[in-house]
Amino acid sequence: MDPMKAQQLAAELEVEMMADMYNRMTNACHRKCVPPHYKEAELTKGESVCLDRCVAKYLDLHERLGRKLTELSVQDEEMMRKAAAGSG
């Protein structure tokens, strides 16, 4: 696969993953913070605060997981390189 095609595929995958994360976050925070039967057209102060905290926690966790996965990927690549060098 040529590098340009691979880069485009990676960008499309990243957009898809971000859209999925956004949908999951929206659904999870809505379930947690907004009652199923609306009493008012606007969010209450408590619902707004709950949603704000929920989104902040979700994004923080997503960032931490991303860093950890990147770290593990780098370690895995180093181990594979060492194994290839040792067997070659």
Side-chain angles (χ1 to χ4, degrees):
M1 180 182 292
D2 74 65
M4 197 67 158
K5 196 85 156 164
Q7 189 176 14
Q8 181 181 1
L9 184 63
E12 289 172 2
L13 184 61
E14 185 174 359
V15 168
E16 186 178 316
M17 288 171 52
M18 289 302 292
D20 180 60
M21 189 269 312
Y22 177 81
N23 287 331
R24 288 174 186 258
M25 177 187 67
T26 301
N27 289 332
C29 292
H30 187 270
R31 271 194 316 274
K32 180 179 181 195
C33 299
V34 181
H37 303 290
Y38 301 109
K39 296 176 184 169
E40 301 172 22
E42 300 293 321
L43 291 172
T44 66
K45 178 78 171 173
E47 291 166 345
S48 293
V49 169
C50 180
L51 286 167
D52 187 49
R53 288 181 181 162
C54 182
V55 168
K57 286 179 183 179
Y58 206 97
L59 293 176
D60 181 53
L61 180 63
H62 187 265
E63 182 183 341
R64 287 182 189 191
L65 285 172
R67 280 194 306 247
K68 187 64 176 176
L69 288 173
T70 300
E71 180 183 311
L72 291 173
S73 178
V74 167
Q75 289 175 359
D76 191 40
E77 286 179 20
E78 288 175 4
M79 285 177 38
M80 294 293 275
R81 228 179 288 127
K82 288 178 183 176
S87 66

